[in-house]
Amino acid sequence: MKRPALLLILLFITGCASLIYTAPDYQTLYGASAPKQRILTPEQVILAQQPHKISFTHDVKPILDSRCVACHGCYDAPCQLKLGSMDGIDRGATKQLVYDSARLSPAKPTRLFIDADNTTEWRTKDFYPILNERTDSPTANLDNSVLAKLLDLKRTHPQPATGKLGDDYDLTMDRELQCPTVDEFPKYQHEHPQWGMPYAMPALSLQEDNIIKQWLQEGAKVEPLPPLSSHAMTEIEKWEQYFNGSTLKQKLVFRYIYEHLFIGHIHFQGHPDKEFFQWVRSTTPTGQPINIINSRRPYDDPQGIFYYRLRPVTETIVDKTHFVYELSDAKKQRYDELFFKPDYQVTALPAYQPAVAANPFTAFAALPMVSRYQFMLDDAHYIVSGFIKGPVCRGDIATNSIRDQFWVVFTQPGGFYPEKMAKALENNPLLGLPGEEANDIGLLGWTKFDTFGREYLKAKDDFINALLPKNHGVGLANIWNGDGHNQNAALTIFRHFDSATVVKGLVGDTPLTGWVIDYPTLERLHYLLVAGFDIYGTAGHQIASRTYMDILRQDAEDNFLRFMPAAQRKNIYNSWYVGSDSLRIAAPLFSIDHPSEINYQTTAYKREFFDQIRQHLGNAAGETDSINRCPQNTCVRANTTPAQQQADRTLRALAEVKGGQLGALPEMSLLRIKTGKPEGDLVYTLVLNKAYSNISNMLAERSHRVPQNDSITIVSGFIGSYPNFFFAVEQNQLNEFVTLIKNAGTETDMDAVYNRFGVRRTNPEIWQHADWFNQQHPKYRGLEAGLFDMNRYKNL
């Protein structure tokens, strides 16, 4: 074929392809694009209540919450499209990345409700609409809507209804997202016809689809949010006045408290279960509209006069970002007891310069150290949850610095020379944290803080050795007992690869490692991972935060080892860091010359230590785990039905399984045991605890896996925010389910389990199962329950 003829053919093919990918000229068809007023006027609200009209609140939002927020609720929502509020829907989507581990310059934050005041401002920040913003007509409202097109694409290209999804679907967390605008949609549709919404899940029902479409046709309008009750307004005013006290002492105390509470959801004791607030800094005082100071960190300079304000949480509560701090008259009395009754003076307020503000030991040196520590201990579950929950929704590089399951207890506040300790901490340069340099830190900036951390561990060991009497060490008296009733005194942390969960009590079998956290460790954990961490920050900031986390883990482990028999500490430490000679870890420092004050009767030191801890805590230890720690197989949970007791006995056999058979299970699965009556069905969580030879390297994690040491923890109720899989098992088939998993030696064997008892992504009933689990969640976890995120659901 002659060359000119070939060129003509290529041009013809290219021209056809461009025609396929060319979108209509929407501007000619429907006019210019501009954000619309979506909120109905009072008169329009009355008209919208007619029988043939669609209500966003009553008809649309329940569908979005149950089908769409499942993947579009956190910072890692695809294309930053958050569908849990009309603010997020109207903001739309963007091609910008939140998670970028190679970022050399900090990104501009794009926090909903914080970094822009309205949709027009979001358009200047490269967010594009998924709703029609042109001429308001039924035709335009569908034809010019990305949301409508994605729903139609799913309807015309449904996914398989059985088996696993094929290779057309990319379910990796770091997959390249397409994020098509309405003009780019023809190409997206041509190249990815299977990628309609909900992505890699069954389509909405025809009724749900019609409701969304009718709402879009009617202009995607929403009712105004209902006003806060007078009861809520009274509480808000009371607490805002309290937090905005005028004395130097009040200003310092509430700056400290704010920097620990800013990230969570505040609830007033006795108020409706779904009524939550967040502490924010505003340029406006109580009684005026809130004008948020959108600083990256809570300790950044507010640039002038500001006020602490309580902003209502108006988006859907999703479990990953939801953890609750409850305010009450008793809490206010506790603040007074801790911070205002002690006799001390505050003569000046600390600067907001990073070198001061990022170091809590410098910024808050005037506050009694024991009061600061006790404040954190009172709600330790909340404080530790902050390391794990909140806006950071994808954290495998951070979470691989912790084991898959470990127990945490705390040192007794004021029990170890508090005056000397406070003096040693004040203005100590070795306690510097990466937040001091914010995003100016370079790729090698971590080395400075790594050096600080190592030198601190050595100085701390010397300090303890000097204060401990000869031939004496630490014992149970050095462990906080929760005052005999506070169940924050003992916590269990589970890692689920790139997320984690904190629960009260010692859950599961005795873990490989334990942490004993003291005040300096707890405070640095908070300022490293919560107050001082910037998800939009540079790679240098993220690396420094991750490497310093190794130091804090070793600090808490060293504390734990001080309670072990002196002659066994090195052996126990070595069992945690097998083959670690070439890794970047600090030297173990655990007061080797001082014996433990624990009287051990066996060689199962860790188990015996925690058994004594349970006795030491008394009621603060919470319920005993009768599934994973029942040597005689005769344990019975209190206040349980015969059906629950039978399920516990059957699942206890699965909890004993170790090693290879567990390898095909995902990190966290929800098990529904069907009793014949949905309201009587039982919920259990299966948590896989993966074993590693060591965890001191943020790369090549798989090379440290020791699958033969894997274990499983089975919990009645719910653990985690991201279910990786659902199992649905009839009550009379539970023995078979357990037996199949116990005998599963290959992936083919496990595939049989998924075929028989699993709820795959292709299962048309998966949404009904998700609905049921979400409905059950508050029954088990009360105020702490939020909607589960399906982003991590496996294709098994």
Side-chain angles (χ1 to χ4, degrees):
M1 186 179 293
K2 294 182 179 180
R3 187 177 184 85
L6 179 60
L7 288 174
L8 285 173
I9 292 172
L10 290 173
L11 287 171
F12 176 77
I13 294 173
T14 304
C16 290
S18 65
L19 287 175
I20 292 172
Y21 295 157
T22 300
D25 184 348
Y26 288 110
Q27 179 151 335
T28 300
L29 286 171
Y30 307 123
S33 179
K36 294 180 177 293
Q37 172 57 255
R38 303 284 179 188
I39 300 176
L40 296 168
T41 65
E43 295 77 14
Q44 291 172 326
V45 170
I46 294 173
L47 292 174
Q49 293 172 351
Q50 298 175 20
H52 63 284
K53 293 288 187 178
I54 294 295
S55 162
F56 175 78
T57 303
H58 300 294
D59 301 318
V60 176
K61 194 172 191 308
I63 298 172
L64 296 176
D65 285 352
S66 60
R67 301 292 178 265
C68 306
V69 175
C71 292
H72 289 274
C74 199
Y75 272 14
D76 62 350
C79 311
Q80 294 194 54
L81 176 58
K82 297 188 71 176
L83 299 176
S85 68
M86 194 60 210
D87 299 78
I89 299 167
D90 203 41
R91 176 178 78 161
T94 181
K95 299 179 189 295
Q96 298 177 65
L97 296 177
V98 173
Y99 296 91
D100 184 359
S101 58
R103 186 183 287 140
L104 296 181
S105 299
K108 292 182 178 179
T110 52
R111 299 162 294 181
L112 188 62
F113 302 109
I114 296 176
D115 294 312
D117 291 330
N118 52 54
T119 303
T120 299
E121 288 188 17
W122 285 120
R123 294 291 170 267
T124 68
K125 297 177 183 289
D126 296 326
F127 279 76
Y128 60 85
I130 64 165
L131 304 176
N132 175 42
E133 291 188 346
R134 300 182 188 275
T135 299
D136 191 5
S137 71
T139 299
N141 287 338
L142 288 183
D143 191 32
N144 194 49
S145 166
V146 174
L147 177 58
K149 291 181 180 298
L150 287 168
L151 293 175
D152 283 341
L153 187 61
K154 189 70 171 192
R155 182 69 55 195
T156 55
H157 294 84
Q159 65 186 37
T162 59
K164 296 170 64 175
L165 290 173
D167 295 336
D168 290 338
Y169 299 91
D170 186 353
L171 294 171
T172 57
M173 291 305 299
D174 58 352
R175 66 182 182 272
E176 183 178 356
L177 298 173
Q178 300 301 310
C179 307
T181 65
V182 70
D183 292 318
E184 296 165 340
F185 201 83
K187 181 178 180 181
Y188 175 87
Q189 178 177 259
H190 179 78
E191 294 181 348
H192 306 291
Q194 307 300 322
W195 289 12
M197 296 297 148
Y199 179 75
M201 296 287 276
L204 304 184
S205 70
L206 189 58
Q207 180 184 15
E208 293 168 337
D209 201 276
N210 288 337
I211 289 172
I212 299 292
K213 296 287 183 55
Q214 184 178 341
W215 176 67
L216 293 174
Q217 284 181 310
E218 293 174 358
K221 302 290 188 177
V222 299
E223 299 89 345
L225 292 172
L228 292 171
S229 68
S230 58
H231 193 29
M233 293 298 292
T234 299
E235 284 296 302
I236 290 171
E237 183 178 359
K238 179 180 76 175
W239 280 98
E240 287 184 353
Q241 288 180 350
Y242 182 61
F243 259 60
N244 289 297
S246 59
T247 69
L248 291 179
K249 181 178 289 190
Q250 288 171 318
K251 288 179 179 294
L252 186 61
V253 166
F254 292 117
R255 174 172 164 179
Y256 179 78
I257 293 177
Y258 165 74
E259 290 182 12
H260 289 77
L261 302 188
F262 76 99
I263 198 172
H265 288 164
I266 303 299
H267 183 261
F268 298 133
Q269 188 177 65
H271 282 228
D273 286 355
K274 295 184 179 181
E275 184 182 84
F276 298 101
F277 302 86
Q278 280 189 291
W279 280 114
V280 298
R281 296 189 300 180
S282 170
T283 60
T284 53
T286 300
Q288 296 183 20
I290 291 174
N291 181 33
I292 290 180
I293 296 171
N294 61 340
S295 58
R296 286 177 177 264
R297 298 173 175 85
Y299 55 70
D300 286 345
D301 191 342
Q303 302 292 327
I305 296 173
F306 71 93
Y307 305 87
Y308 297 113
R309 302 289 303 278
L310 282 164
R311 181 184 68 83
V313 175
T314 57
E315 60 184 333
T316 300
I317 297 296
V318 294
D319 197 70
K320 176 58 182 74
T321 59
H322 182 57
F323 58 116
V324 181
Y325 189 93
E326 197 157 51
L327 293 179
S328 64
D329 289 341
K331 185 66 71 177
K332 181 177 178 294
Q333 184 178 349
R334 182 61 163 167
Y335 291 166
D336 290 342
E337 177 186 332
L338 290 176
F339 294 107
F340 297 115
K341 287 186 179 178
D343 183 16
Y344 65 97
Q345 300 297 316
V346 177
T347 57
L349 295 177
Y352 281 103
Q353 295 166 338
V356 174
N359 187 329
F361 308 103
T362 298
F364 301 107
L367 300 181
M369 186 196 71
V370 173
S371 296
R372 284 178 270 159
Y373 187 30
Q374 188 65 65
F375 161 78
M376 299 177 80
L377 291 183
D378 282 353
D379 294 276
H381 177 259
Y382 174 91
I383 295 295
V384 177
S385 292
F387 313 158
I388 286 166
K389 289 209 172 192
V392 182
C393 308
R394 189 186 308 172
D396 52 307
I397 291 181
T399 57
N400 73 6
S401 65
I402 61 174
R403 297 280 177 177
D404 271 32
Q405 179 230 358
F406 60 98
W407 290 342
V408 174
V409 292
F410 304 90
T411 60
Q412 175 67 32
F416 190 82
Y417 306 97
E419 294 82 6
K420 293 181 179 181
M421 183 180 294
K423 186 176 181 180
L425 296 176
E426 184 178 348
N427 298 317
N428 187 335
L430 299 183
L431 290 167
L433 295 168
E436 292 180 9
E437 297 188 8
N439 285 307
D440 294 330
I441 193 169
L443 288 176
L444 296 178
W446 64 271
T447 58
K448 168 185 173 181
F449 297 98
D450 187 71
T451 300
F452 282 173
R454 291 167 184 260
E455 291 180 359
Y456 168 78
L457 291 180
K458 179 64 171 64
K460 175 182 176 177
D461 199 56
D462 292 341
F463 177 81
I464 292 174
N465 290 339
L467 290 179
L468 284 173
K470 187 176 181 180
N471 298 323
H472 288 278
V474 292
L476 293 177
N478 297 100
I479 299 293
W480 180 52
N481 70 352
D483 304 318
H485 61 84
N486 189 333
Q487 294 187 8
N488 286 276
L491 305 175
T492 300
I493 298 179
F494 293 101
R495 178 199 173 193
H496 323 291
F497 182 59
D498 60 358
S499 67
T501 305
V502 186
V503 295
K504 293 178 182 178
L506 303 177
V507 181
D509 202 358
T510 305
L512 178 69
T513 60
W515 288 15
V516 176
I517 294 180
D518 54 28
Y519 169 66
T521 307
L522 188 60
E523 197 75 275
R524 284 180 298 155
L525 279 165
H526 178 78
Y527 277 84
L528 177 76
L529 302 176
V530 184
F533 188 75
D534 181 9
I535 190 61
Y536 297 96
T538 63
H541 167 69
Q542 296 180 50
I543 292 170
S545 299
R546 168 58 178 84
T547 53
Y548 197 87
M549 181 61 200
D550 280 336
I551 296 292
L552 295 180
R553 182 193 66 248
Q554 290 183 248
D555 194 358
E557 289 175 344
D558 285 351
N559 285 343
F560 172 78
L561 288 168
R562 290 186 175 95
F563 291 87
M564 296 293 102
Q568 299 300 322
R569 291 173 196 167
K570 182 64 174 176
N571 293 335
I572 295 171
Y573 171 87
N574 288 342
S575 73
W576 300 341
Y577 294 97
V578 176
S580 63
D581 292 344
S582 61
L583 296 178
R584 192 206 61 77
I585 59 174
L589 295 162
F590 33 65
S591 308
I592 193 65
D593 293 331
H594 293 271
S596 170
E597 295 292 305
I598 305 290
N599 183 20
Y600 289 99
Q601 302 297 316
T602 73
T603 56
Y605 306 112
K606 288 178 289 186
R607 182 182 296 275
E608 189 174 349
F609 171 69
F610 282 112
D611 284 344
Q612 293 193 45
I613 287 289
R614 287 189 197 92
Q615 295 179 12
H616 175 67
L617 298 184
N619 292 333
E623 296 182 5
T624 300
D625 185 338
S626 60
I627 297 178
N628 304 284
R629 257 189 345 265
C630 182
Q632 286 79 35
N633 201 33
T634 57
C635 306
V636 176
R637 278 191 292 136
N639 304 314
T640 51
T641 66
Q644 290 171 312
Q645 294 169 18
Q646 178 59 50
D648 285 1
R649 285 193 293 271
T650 303
L651 290 171
R652 202 169 287 140
L654 181 57
E656 296 171 354
V657 176
K658 309 288 182 185
Q661 297 100 308
L662 301 172
L665 283 172
E667 281 82 4
M668 189 271 278
S669 309
L670 294 180
L671 167 63
R672 177 180 182 179
I673 300 176
K674 306 179 79 171
T675 63
K677 296 181 179 180
E679 66 275 10
D681 290 357
L682 308 178
V683 180
Y684 289 83
T685 304
L686 313 182
V687 183
L688 178 64
N689 307 314
K690 291 182 177 179
Y692 298 86
S693 58
N694 61 72
I695 51 170
S696 285
N697 193 336
M698 56 182 155
L699 303 175
E701 181 179 13
R702 290 184 180 179
S703 66
H704 303 302
R705 283 279 285 119
V706 188
Q708 63 269 27
N709 292 340
D710 289 353
S711 64
I712 186 171
T713 301
I714 299 175
V715 177
S716 173
F718 294 92
I719 296 286
S721 303
Y722 297 98
N724 300 129
F725 204 68
F726 297 153
F727 291 106
V729 181
E730 297 290 342
Q731 191 174 17
N732 60 4
Q733 295 176 339
L734 188 58
N735 270 311
E736 181 185 357
F737 171 74
V738 170
T739 300
L740 283 175
I741 294 178
K742 289 177 66 176
N743 295 330
T746 65
E747 288 189 11
T748 302
D749 294 337
M750 274 307 301
D751 196 54
V753 179
Y754 298 130
N755 277 331
R756 182 156 171 72
F757 298 112
V759 181
R760 286 186 159 128
R761 279 181 170 267
T762 54
N763 190 325
E765 296 182 357
I766 188 172
W767 287 125
Q768 285 69 44
H769 285 286
D771 290 344
W772 185 84
F773 282 119
N774 278 318
Q775 290 161 6
Q776 295 298 308
H777 198 194
K779 297 178 183 178
Y780 286 82
R781 299 192 60 231
L783 291 174
E784 297 283 347
L787 290 179
F788 292 114
D789 193 312
M790 301 289 280
N791 260 313
R792 312 295 202 274
Y793 205 88
K794 301 291 187 182
N795 183 29
L796 298 173

